[in-house]
Amino acid sequence: MKKVLLSFIAIGITSFAFAQTTEAEEVLKKQSTDTLEGWKTGGVFSVNLTQTSLTNWSAGGQNSVSVNGLLSLFANLKKGNSTWDNSLDLGYGFLQQDGLGVRKTDDKIDFTSKYGQKAFKNWYYAGLVNFKSQMTAGYNYPDDSTEISNFMAPGYVLVALGMDYKPSDVFTLFISPLTMKTTIVNDQTLANAGAFGVDPAEYDTLGTLITKGKTIRSEYGGYLRAQFKKDIMKNVNLQSKLELFSNYIEEPLHIDVNWEVLIAMKVNKYISATISTQLIYDHDIDIGVDTNNDGIIDKVGPRAQFKEVLGVGLTYKF
């Protein structure tokens, strides 16, 4: 009986030791994976297509084709106590309707490069460079003859120094008390009109141009950038990015806001549905509004801008 009891005890101790060893190995594997040094690269390419064709359709409507494309790339380097994160987001979309021609629905260039040197625990001394613009001319439809924007009109270049908090791959928070934001309007007509906050042109009483409008405007202030990325449920990924900027010198309480959200729902390896939203508020951008719906812009001023895109189509992750 004693031999049997001793045998069970020995088996129990061996099993416990094996379980502990296996658990320890799994922890070590996870730690090794989380602390791998070197480059991590990848991206996502997505194309959504909508086509409507009507023939003798009693309910009315128009034939249309809509295409929206998105390319998101990243290249991140970890080496010792240093990190270098790079991302590029490109988006473009258009809608073609009978009788209305081709109209742009989306246009985005967004590049960010951030370098960090570990300070303590999850905090890094960091520097960040961000560039935003668009690819082609924009119009205030139905007026498709007067340009209201173009490539580098505007273009935004932001340079910031501060601290970066990176507790995990899910969330990062960059805080900068030293930031320079430069707005570029590389279109003299728009610059003369004072578009996007640059100093407008000066004219005499007869309307003769005296001084051209400035094409560059620099602001100095504080900047915050928070990013969140996580699979919130099976085959559903949520990404969110919030950027805030305050100009120390001119109206610091008027905070520029750029908030983007992307929800990707995977159907299979290549097909997915996406919902993306973007909220922008920039006190330096005046937007005209037709309050009487009579085709006449009768009110101009800074306003919240909102964009929402829902699409189902081809997605390739690499």
Side-chain angles (χ1 to χ4, degrees), residues 229-260:
K229 181 179 180 181
K230 186 178 181 181
D231 290 333
I232 54 177
M233 60 181 68
K234 186 177 180 180
N235 295 330
V236 180
N237 180 265
L238 170 65
Q239 298 181 42
S240 182
K241 178 176 68 177
L242 173 65
E243 295 176 282
L244 304 176
F245 175 78
S246 173
N247 186 333
Y248 290 150
I249 302 172
E250 300 178 18
E251 300 176 305
L253 295 181
H254 289 154
I255 298 175
D256 296 343
V257 179
N258 181 43
W259 183 21
E260 299 178 52

Short mmCIF file of all heavy atoms in Angstrom, two decimals, residues 229-260:
data_model
loop_
_atom_site.label_atom_id
_atom_site.label_comp_id
_atom_site.label_asym_id
_atom_site.label_seq_id
_atom_site.Cartn_x
_atom_site.Cartn_y
_atom_site.Cartn_z
N LYS A 229 -5.48 50.18 -31.21
CA LYS A 229 -5.71 49.16 -32.23
C LYS A 229 -5.86 47.81 -31.56
O LYS A 229 -4.96 47.34 -30.87
CB LYS A 229 -4.55 49.12 -33.22
CG LYS A 229 -4.70 48.09 -34.34
CD LYS A 229 -3.52 48.14 -35.29
CE LYS A 229 -3.69 47.10 -36.39
NZ LYS A 229 -2.53 47.12 -37.33
N LYS A 230 -7.04 47.17 -31.77
CA LYS A 230 -7.28 45.89 -31.11
C LYS A 230 -8.41 45.13 -31.80
O LYS A 230 -9.33 45.74 -32.35
CB LYS A 230 -7.65 46.13 -29.64
CG LYS A 230 -7.78 44.85 -28.82
CD LYS A 230 -8.10 45.14 -27.38
CE LYS A 230 -8.19 43.85 -26.58
NZ LYS A 230 -8.53 44.10 -25.16
N ASP A 231 -8.34 43.79 -31.75
CA ASP A 231 -9.45 42.94 -32.18
C ASP A 231 -10.46 42.93 -31.06
O ASP A 231 -10.24 42.31 -30.00
CB ASP A 231 -8.97 41.52 -32.48
CG ASP A 231 -8.10 41.46 -33.73
OD1 ASP A 231 -8.27 42.30 -34.61
OD2 ASP A 231 -7.24 40.55 -33.81
N ILE A 232 -11.60 43.62 -31.25
CA ILE A 232 -12.57 43.75 -30.17
C ILE A 232 -13.47 42.52 -30.07
O ILE A 232 -14.13 42.30 -29.05
CB ILE A 232 -13.43 45.01 -30.35
CG1 ILE A 232 -14.08 45.05 -31.73
CG2 ILE A 232 -12.57 46.26 -30.13
CD1 ILE A 232 -14.99 46.24 -31.94
N MET A 233 -13.53 41.71 -31.12
CA MET A 233 -14.20 40.42 -31.11
C MET A 233 -13.66 39.63 -32.31
O MET A 233 -12.87 40.14 -33.09
CB MET A 233 -15.73 40.55 -31.17
CG MET A 233 -16.26 41.28 -32.38
SD MET A 233 -18.07 41.43 -32.37
CE MET A 233 -18.31 42.56 -30.99
N LYS A 234 -14.08 38.40 -32.45
CA LYS A 234 -13.56 37.56 -33.51
C LYS A 234 -13.84 38.18 -34.88
O LYS A 234 -14.97 38.52 -35.20
CB LYS A 234 -14.18 36.16 -33.45
CG LYS A 234 -13.56 35.18 -34.44
CD LYS A 234 -14.16 33.80 -34.30
CE LYS A 234 -13.52 32.83 -35.31
NZ LYS A 234 -14.10 31.47 -35.19
N ASN A 235 -12.75 38.35 -35.67
CA ASN A 235 -12.82 38.88 -37.03
C ASN A 235 -13.29 40.34 -37.09
O ASN A 235 -13.71 40.81 -38.15
CB ASN A 235 -13.72 38.02 -37.92
CG ASN A 235 -13.16 36.63 -38.13
OD1 ASN A 235 -11.95 36.43 -38.11
ND2 ASN A 235 -14.04 35.66 -38.31
N VAL A 236 -13.22 41.06 -35.98
CA VAL A 236 -13.57 42.48 -35.96
C VAL A 236 -12.44 43.27 -35.31
O VAL A 236 -12.10 43.04 -34.15
CB VAL A 236 -14.88 42.74 -35.18
CG1 VAL A 236 -15.21 44.24 -35.19
CG2 VAL A 236 -16.03 41.96 -35.80
N ASN A 237 -11.85 44.17 -36.09
CA ASN A 237 -10.72 44.97 -35.61
C ASN A 237 -11.11 46.44 -35.53
O ASN A 237 -11.73 46.98 -36.45
CB ASN A 237 -9.51 44.79 -36.53
CG ASN A 237 -8.30 45.60 -36.08
OD1 ASN A 237 -8.08 46.71 -36.54
ND2 ASN A 237 -7.53 45.03 -35.17
N LEU A 238 -10.74 47.09 -34.44
CA LEU A 238 -11.02 48.51 -34.23
C LEU A 238 -9.71 49.28 -34.17
O LEU A 238 -8.81 48.92 -33.43
CB LEU A 238 -11.81 48.72 -32.94
CG LEU A 238 -11.97 50.18 -32.48
CD1 LEU A 238 -12.80 50.97 -33.47
CD2 LEU A 238 -12.59 50.24 -31.09
N GLN A 239 -9.62 50.35 -34.97
CA GLN A 239 -8.48 51.25 -34.92
C GLN A 239 -9.00 52.67 -34.74
O GLN A 239 -9.97 53.07 -35.37
CB GLN A 239 -7.67 51.17 -36.22
CG GLN A 239 -7.08 49.81 -36.52
CD GLN A 239 -6.26 49.81 -37.80
OE1 GLN A 239 -5.50 50.74 -38.06
NE2 GLN A 239 -6.42 48.77 -38.60
N SER A 240 -8.33 53.41 -33.88
CA SER A 240 -8.74 54.79 -33.63
C SER A 240 -7.50 55.65 -33.42
O SER A 240 -6.54 55.22 -32.77
CB SER A 240 -9.65 54.88 -32.40
OG SER A 240 -10.08 56.21 -32.19
N LYS A 241 -7.53 56.86 -33.96
CA LYS A 241 -6.42 57.80 -33.81
C LYS A 241 -6.99 59.19 -33.53
O LYS A 241 -7.83 59.68 -34.27
CB LYS A 241 -5.56 57.83 -35.08
CG LYS A 241 -4.42 58.84 -35.03
CD LYS A 241 -3.56 58.75 -36.28
CE LYS A 241 -4.28 59.21 -37.50
NZ LYS A 241 -3.44 59.21 -38.73
N LEU A 242 -6.51 59.80 -32.45
CA LEU A 242 -6.97 61.14 -32.07
C LEU A 242 -5.76 62.07 -32.02
O LEU A 242 -4.76 61.77 -31.35
CB LEU A 242 -7.65 61.10 -30.70
CG LEU A 242 -8.04 62.45 -30.10
CD1 LEU A 242 -9.10 63.14 -30.96
CD2 LEU A 242 -8.54 62.29 -28.67
N GLU A 243 -5.85 63.22 -32.71
CA GLU A 243 -4.79 64.22 -32.71
C GLU A 243 -5.37 65.55 -32.27
O GLU A 243 -6.40 66.00 -32.79
CB GLU A 243 -4.18 64.37 -34.10
CG GLU A 243 -3.46 63.12 -34.60
CD GLU A 243 -2.96 63.29 -36.03
OE1 GLU A 243 -3.80 63.17 -36.95
OE2 GLU A 243 -1.76 63.54 -36.22
N LEU A 244 -4.68 66.20 -31.32
CA LEU A 244 -5.09 67.51 -30.82
C LEU A 244 -3.90 68.46 -30.89
O LEU A 244 -2.78 68.08 -30.54
CB LEU A 244 -5.58 67.42 -29.37
CG LEU A 244 -6.71 66.43 -29.07
CD1 LEU A 244 -6.98 66.39 -27.56
CD2 LEU A 244 -7.97 66.79 -29.83
N PHE A 245 -4.16 69.70 -31.33
CA PHE A 245 -3.09 70.70 -31.41
C PHE A 245 -3.63 72.05 -30.93
O PHE A 245 -4.72 72.47 -31.31
CB PHE A 245 -2.57 70.85 -32.84
CG PHE A 245 -1.56 71.96 -33.01
CD1 PHE A 245 -0.25 71.78 -32.61
CD2 PHE A 245 -1.94 73.19 -33.53
CE1 PHE A 245 0.69 72.81 -32.74
CE2 PHE A 245 -1.02 74.22 -33.67
CZ PHE A 245 0.30 74.02 -33.27
N SER A 246 -2.83 72.71 -30.08
CA SER A 246 -3.19 74.03 -29.57
C SER A 246 -2.07 75.00 -29.87
O SER A 246 -0.90 74.75 -29.56
CB SER A 246 -3.44 73.96 -28.05
OG SER A 246 -3.64 75.26 -27.52
N ASN A 247 -2.43 76.13 -30.49
CA ASN A 247 -1.47 77.18 -30.81
C ASN A 247 -1.28 78.06 -29.57
O ASN A 247 -2.22 78.71 -29.11
CB ASN A 247 -2.00 78.01 -31.99
CG ASN A 247 -1.00 79.04 -32.49
OD1 ASN A 247 -0.14 79.49 -31.75
ND2 ASN A 247 -1.11 79.39 -33.76
N TYR A 248 -0.05 78.07 -29.02
CA TYR A 248 0.21 78.84 -27.81
C TYR A 248 0.00 80.33 -28.00
O TYR A 248 -0.44 81.04 -27.10
CB TYR A 248 1.65 78.62 -27.35
CG TYR A 248 1.96 77.24 -26.81
CD1 TYR A 248 3.24 76.71 -26.94
CD2 TYR A 248 0.98 76.48 -26.17
CE1 TYR A 248 3.54 75.45 -26.44
CE2 TYR A 248 1.27 75.22 -25.68
CZ TYR A 248 2.55 74.70 -25.82
OH TYR A 248 2.84 73.47 -25.33
N ILE A 249 0.32 80.83 -29.20
CA ILE A 249 0.36 82.28 -29.42
C ILE A 249 -1.00 82.84 -29.82
O ILE A 249 -1.43 83.89 -29.33
CB ILE A 249 1.40 82.62 -30.50
CG1 ILE A 249 2.79 82.11 -30.06
CG2 ILE A 249 1.46 84.12 -30.76
CD1 ILE A 249 3.85 82.24 -31.13
N GLU A 250 -1.72 82.15 -30.71
CA GLU A 250 -2.99 82.64 -31.22
C GLU A 250 -4.14 81.75 -30.77
O GLU A 250 -4.25 80.61 -31.19
CB GLU A 250 -2.96 82.70 -32.75
CG GLU A 250 -1.88 83.61 -33.32
CD GLU A 250 -1.87 83.58 -34.84
OE1 GLU A 250 -2.88 83.15 -35.43
OE2 GLU A 250 -0.84 83.94 -35.43
N GLU A 251 -4.98 82.26 -29.91
CA GLU A 251 -6.20 81.59 -29.46
C GLU A 251 -5.92 80.14 -29.06
O GLU A 251 -6.40 79.19 -29.71
CB GLU A 251 -7.26 81.64 -30.56
CG GLU A 251 -7.63 83.07 -30.94
CD GLU A 251 -8.62 83.12 -32.10
OE1 GLU A 251 -8.33 82.54 -33.15
OE2 GLU A 251 -9.67 83.75 -31.92
N PRO A 252 -5.19 79.91 -27.97
CA PRO A 252 -4.85 78.54 -27.56
C PRO A 252 -6.04 77.67 -27.19
O PRO A 252 -5.94 76.44 -27.19
CB PRO A 252 -3.92 78.76 -26.35
CG PRO A 252 -4.24 80.13 -25.86
CD PRO A 252 -4.61 80.92 -27.07
N LEU A 253 -7.17 78.28 -26.88
CA LEU A 253 -8.36 77.50 -26.53
C LEU A 253 -9.07 76.93 -27.75
O LEU A 253 -9.94 76.07 -27.63
CB LEU A 253 -9.33 78.35 -25.71
CG LEU A 253 -8.83 78.79 -24.32
CD1 LEU A 253 -9.89 79.62 -23.61
CD2 LEU A 253 -8.43 77.58 -23.48
N HIS A 254 -8.73 77.44 -28.94
CA HIS A 254 -9.29 76.88 -30.17
C HIS A 254 -8.41 75.71 -30.61
O HIS A 254 -7.40 75.88 -31.29
CB HIS A 254 -9.35 77.94 -31.28
CG HIS A 254 -10.38 78.98 -31.02
ND1 HIS A 254 -10.30 80.27 -31.52
CD2 HIS A 254 -11.52 78.95 -30.30
CE1 HIS A 254 -11.35 80.96 -31.13
NE2 HIS A 254 -12.11 80.18 -30.39
N ILE A 255 -8.77 74.52 -30.20
CA ILE A 255 -7.94 73.33 -30.39
C ILE A 255 -8.30 72.64 -31.71
O ILE A 255 -9.48 72.36 -31.98
CB ILE A 255 -8.12 72.35 -29.22
CG1 ILE A 255 -7.66 73.02 -27.91
CG2 ILE A 255 -7.34 71.07 -29.46
CD1 ILE A 255 -7.91 72.20 -26.68
N ASP A 256 -7.28 72.39 -32.53
CA ASP A 256 -7.48 71.64 -33.78
C ASP A 256 -7.68 70.17 -33.43
O ASP A 256 -6.92 69.59 -32.64
CB ASP A 256 -6.28 71.80 -34.71
CG ASP A 256 -6.09 73.24 -35.16
OD1 ASP A 256 -7.03 74.03 -35.04
OD2 ASP A 256 -4.98 73.56 -35.63
N VAL A 257 -8.68 69.55 -34.06
CA VAL A 257 -9.02 68.16 -33.76
C VAL A 257 -9.01 67.33 -35.05
O VAL A 257 -9.56 67.77 -36.07
CB VAL A 257 -10.41 68.05 -33.10
CG1 VAL A 257 -10.77 66.59 -32.82
CG2 VAL A 257 -10.47 68.86 -31.83
N ASN A 258 -8.38 66.17 -34.99
CA ASN A 258 -8.47 65.20 -36.09
C ASN A 258 -8.66 63.82 -35.45
O ASN A 258 -7.76 63.29 -34.81
CB ASN A 258 -7.20 65.21 -36.94
CG ASN A 258 -7.29 64.21 -38.09
OD1 ASN A 258 -8.32 64.10 -38.74
ND2 ASN A 258 -6.23 63.45 -38.33
N TRP A 259 -9.85 63.25 -35.62
CA TRP A 259 -10.18 61.97 -34.97
C TRP A 259 -10.65 60.99 -36.05
O TRP A 259 -11.64 61.22 -36.73
CB TRP A 259 -11.27 62.18 -33.92
CG TRP A 259 -11.63 60.93 -33.17
CD1 TRP A 259 -10.87 59.80 -33.03
CD2 TRP A 259 -12.84 60.69 -32.44
NE1 TRP A 259 -11.52 58.86 -32.26
CE2 TRP A 259 -12.74 59.37 -31.89
CE3 TRP A 259 -13.99 61.44 -32.21
CZ2 TRP A 259 -13.75 58.82 -31.10
CZ3 TRP A 259 -14.99 60.88 -31.43
CH2 TRP A 259 -14.88 59.59 -30.89
N GLU A 260 -9.91 59.90 -36.20
CA GLU A 260 -10.22 58.89 -37.20
C GLU A 260 -10.53 57.55 -36.54
O GLU A 260 -9.86 57.15 -35.59
CB GLU A 260 -9.05 58.72 -38.17
CG GLU A 260 -8.70 59.97 -38.94
CD GLU A 260 -7.50 59.77 -39.85
OE1 GLU A 260 -7.50 58.80 -40.63
OE2 GLU A 260 -6.55 60.57 -39.77
#
